[in-house]
Amino acid sequence: MLCGMKSKKTVQLMMVIIGVISLCYGVIGIQSAPEDAHDYATLLGMFAGFGSGLIAVAIFLFIRSKVVSPEKLKQKEIEENDERNIAVKRAAMAVSWMVSVGLFTVLAFALMAMGLRVPSYLCIGALYVQFFSFLIAHRVYDKKM
Amino acid sequence: MNNRLEELRNQRGVRQEELAAALRVSRQTISSLENGRYNPSITLAIRLARYFGLAVEDIFIYEEEES
């Protein structure tokens, strides 16, 4: 349990560090970006938003761990490690994986039909990444189990 | 797979929450096990058997499905 708490603190610390870097990059970048570079400014805004989001989630998790009673935290930990909850989560992830494969496939065709070659290739690329990550994960777990 | 979990729990006068806390699982897991919606892992089946002081096969009844 102590080890789990330590790893959670490490994750929160990493979230804050990545968040601060992303936020600083976004905020400083926007100030030095040319006036007419709208796409670049939007990208920097996304970095700033992503960074602030990460920091906010890390702060929320930290405050929750301090404010919520130890009994409730213990119950939360039980819920997180509960084998049925893990099975439910895995089944839901398998379904969402199937949905995303279908979505990327439809998107690739739709974008190509609209003449948007690059976004269509990106969708096809994402499908390949999914497929190969599945093959690698399958091979790893096949050896492990 | 059928089981006698609810029957055994009622015999001992244990609430679902208490059994869940003793086994460090959620109450929903106990409820799903009792309803036969979820089959436990070997580890949880053994922990349940130890909790009731019985063998696993005394709690869980496996019936071969007809194909």
Side-chain angles (χ1 to χ4, degrees), chain A residues 120-136:
Chain A
S120 176
Y121 289 149
L122 284 174
C123 286
I124 294 166
L127 276 170
Y128 271 106
V129 170
Q130 264 196 323
F131 178 67
F132 284 111
S133 61
F134 169 77
L135 284 185
I136 292 165

Side-chain angles (χ1 to χ4, degrees), chain A residues 1 74-75 77-79 81-85 87, chain B residues 24-29 32 38-41 44:
Chain A
M1 191 173 154
K74 196 177 160 191
Q75 188 57 38
E77 199 188 333
I78 288 174
E79 298 276 342
N81 297 325
D82 180 67
E83 66 170 52
R84 179 182 157 275
N85 283 346
Chain B
R24 293 183 62 79
V25 295
S26 68
R27 194 199 56 77
Q28 289 96 317
T29 297
S32 294
Y38 175 69
N39 287 327
S41 66
L44 183 55

Side-chain angles (χ1 to χ4, degrees), chain A residues 26-40:
Chain A
V27 170
I28 295 165
I30 284 173
Q31 285 168 353
S32 57
E35 285 278 320
D36 56 341
H38 299 299
D39 290 345
Y40 182 55

Side-chain angles (χ1 to χ4, degrees), chain A residues 10 26 31 33 40 52 57 69 72-74 78 83 85 90 98 101-102 109 111 113 116 127 131-132 139:
Chain A
T10 311
Q31 285 168 353
Y40 182 55
S52 355
V57 172
S69 65
K72 274 195 176 174
L73 278 178
K74 196 177 160 191
I78 288 174
E83 66 170 52
N85 283 346
R90 283 181 182 165
M98 291 296 290
V101 167
F109 276 93
L111 290 167
L116 300 166
L127 276 170
F131 178 67
F132 284 111
R139 200 180 166 85

Side-chain angles (χ1 to χ4, degrees), chain A residues 2-137:
Chain A
L2 197 68
C3 184
M5 278 171 71
K6 261 189 179 177
S7 68
K8 274 180 187 170
K9 278 189 179 173
T10 311
V11 168
Q12 284 172 21
L13 186 67
M14 287 301 294
M15 283 169 76
V16 171
I17 291 169
I18 295 168
V20 168
I21 292 169
S22 181
L23 180 62
C24 289
Y25 178 69
V27 170
I28 295 165
I30 284 173
Q31 285 168 353
S32 57
E35 285 278 320
D36 56 341
H38 299 299
D39 290 345
Y40 182 55
T42 307
L43 177 69
L44 292 167
M46 284 168 69
F47 270 105
F50 174 72
S52 355
L54 269 185
I55 295 167
V57 172
I59 291 170
F60 168 76
L61 292 173
F62 177 75
I63 292 171
R64 193 181 68 174
S65 69
K66 297 289 168 194
V67 171
V68 177
S69 65
E71 289 79 28
K72 274 195 176 174
L73 278 178
K74 196 177 160 191
Q75 188 57 38
K76 181 112 185 75
E77 199 188 333
I78 288 174
E79 298 276 342
E80 278 172 12
N81 297 325
D82 180 67
E83 66 170 52
R84 179 182 157 275
N85 283 346
I86 292 169
V88 168
K89 204 182 287 177
R90 283 181 182 165
M93 281 168 81
V95 171
S96 73
W97 182 78
M98 291 296 290
V99 170
S100 66
V101 167
L103 182 71
F104 278 128
T105 309
V106 171
L107 260 180
F109 276 93
L111 290 167
M112 193 60 89
M114 289 158 71
L116 300 166
R117 276 176 174 267
V118 175
S120 176
Y121 289 149
L122 284 174
C123 286
I124 294 166
L127 276 170
Y128 271 106
V129 170
Q130 264 196 323
F131 178 67
F132 284 111
S133 61
F134 169 77
L135 284 185
I136 292 165

